[in-house]
Amino acid sequence: MSRTIIACFDDQARSDSAIGDYAAWAARRIEAPLCLLHVLEQKVITHEDYSGQIGLGTRERMLEERTEEEGRMIRQARDEGRQMLEALKARLTDDTLTPQTQQRHGVLAETLREQCQKEDLLVLGRCGHQHDHEDESTSLGAHLEDLAQHLDVPMLIAPARFQVPARAMVAFDGSERGLEQLSRLVKWGWLEGLETHVVHVSEPADKAPAERGAELLKAAGIDAQPVTLEGDAGRKLPAYAREQAIDFVAMGAYGHSSLRRFLMGSTTHRLLEAMPGAILLMR
């Protein structure tokens, strides 16, 4: 599925970030190269209007001082970002993995669109600047919802604390596209060794899709069980995942199903917030 795993860090990230741990876990699992990308966000800078209050020479001097100060702050943030990347690289490197590092300065969404190829996997934090926030249900990253809806690459969304995944849930809509995504999960080894719940939500309940999906996984040697739920997918899926202590969720971001509406519609934020563990959004 992926040619390169790109783990994205903002200007508040730390070298002990769980984003790095999930990216390294994914890189080893699907045997893909890992790039640690620090994006120093370009902010819109506005200058106060001093016209009419002070003289021309004074105004020019104040603008020069402001420009110099902004330049100093950018250089400092860039240096701190480099140090964070090097510390993170040193922490994640072992005999099986040697991450590359890269630093970019620009608008986050535009930078990621330029950086990511279609089959790359983008790893982002769920909590954004509040990366150590204890209550994940109220701290979804500011950019995450927009990127999930508009960036056309697979995404792994990392929670604040790293835990080696042991129990997986695949939100399966029963479509042919969903079967293709299940096959890709198997092909790339995402579910190997994980207890996997293939969950289908509909109204009224329909057992056939989940059983079909679980059979596909069992044929590939995956420990899979079908689960059928009835009701609202946006509520049922997170509730089931929490009840079963699921720590890795895979779901398609496209399809002709209620999942598409949840992921592309107004409740994306609610679904991503409520789901526990790491979330793999497939395309």
Side-chain angles (χ1 to χ4, degrees):
M1 184 176 75
S2 304
R3 292 184 297 185
T4 301
I5 294 176
I6 300 173
C8 181
F9 303 87
D10 61 22
D11 53 3
Q12 301 295 314
R14 302 185 332 198
S15 61
D16 61 352
S17 163
I19 301 171
D21 293 291
Y22 276 102
W25 171 78
R28 294 185 177 102
R29 178 158 283 261
I30 67 175
E31 299 181 348
L34 172 60
C35 175
L36 307 174
L37 173 66
H38 174 235
V39 179
L40 185 60
E41 279 203 81
Q42 178 179 322
K43 297 178 173 60
V44 177
I45 299 172
T46 57
H47 295 280
E48 295 179 39
D49 183 6
Y50 298 110
S51 60
Q53 300 179 34
I54 55 179
L56 178 60
T58 302
R59 184 168 67 248
E60 290 178 344
R61 187 179 69 255
M62 293 179 69
L63 289 173
E64 289 176 358
E65 292 174 352
R66 176 69 65 85
T67 301
E68 289 177 2
E69 175 63 12
E70 290 165 355
R72 186 193 65 77
M73 293 175 64
I74 291 173
R75 290 192 295 274
Q76 179 179 345
R78 187 176 56 206
D79 292 343
E80 291 174 351
R82 285 175 180 164
Q83 293 171 15
M84 183 277 294
L85 285 177
E86 290 306 313
L88 181 61
K89 177 181 178 179
R91 186 171 71 80
L92 299 178
T93 297
D94 63 14
D95 293 340
T96 64
L97 185 67
T98 304
Q100 303 299 309
T101 62
Q102 192 171 144
Q103 194 173 44
R104 296 283 299 274
H105 186 198
V107 177
L108 180 63
E110 293 178 4
T111 300
L112 292 177
R113 286 191 185 94
E114 293 171 0
Q115 191 74 22
C116 297
Q117 302 298 312
K118 187 175 182 180
E119 305 239 337
D120 289 340
L121 172 69
L122 178 63
V123 185
L124 293 168
R126 179 179 302 181
C127 305
H129 288 181
Q130 299 178 39
H131 189 62
D132 292 326
H133 204 294
E134 294 291 344
D135 182 6
E136 292 182 4
S137 66
T138 61
S139 55
L140 188 64
H143 299 289
L144 183 54
E145 183 177 9
D146 178 62
L147 293 174
Q149 290 186 353
H150 299 110
L151 203 60
D152 190 26
V153 296
M155 295 172 58
L156 180 62
I157 301 169
R161 301 283 182 269
F162 177 68
Q163 175 178 327
V164 177
R167 295 164 67 87
M169 180 179 85
V170 179
F172 180 55
D173 64 4
S175 67
E176 291 301 318
R177 176 123 184 143
L179 286 172
E180 292 175 10
Q181 291 172 340
L182 281 179
S183 296
R184 277 186 281 153
L185 287 171
V186 171
K187 177 182 177 181
W188 289 99
W190 280 106
L191 302 177
E192 188 174 335
L194 304 185
E195 176 186 315
T196 302
H197 301 224
V198 180
V199 182
H200 177 74
V201 185
S202 62
E203 197 164 12
D206 181 4
K207 292 183 178 180
E211 291 177 348
R212 187 182 179 195
E215 286 303 316
L216 186 151
L217 296 184
K218 288 178 182 177
I222 305 298
D223 177 15
Q225 56 180 288
V227 179
T228 302
L229 302 175
E230 181 175 6
D232 175 54
R235 297 181 185 279
K236 291 291 184 177
L237 288 172
Y240 181 82
R242 292 186 181 280
E243 176 187 314
Q244 297 295 320
I246 298 294
D247 46 27
F248 176 69
V249 177
M251 58 176 59
Y254 295 103
H256 303 289
S257 70
S258 59
L259 277 180
R260 184 182 191 282
R261 292 195 297 275
F262 284 119
L263 288 167
M264 303 304 289
S266 60
T267 56
T268 305
H269 187 277
R270 176 164 63 90
L271 184 62
L272 294 180
E273 272 192 334
M275 202 70 82
I279 304 172
L280 176 64
L281 289 182
M282 304 181 71
R283 304 296 184 179

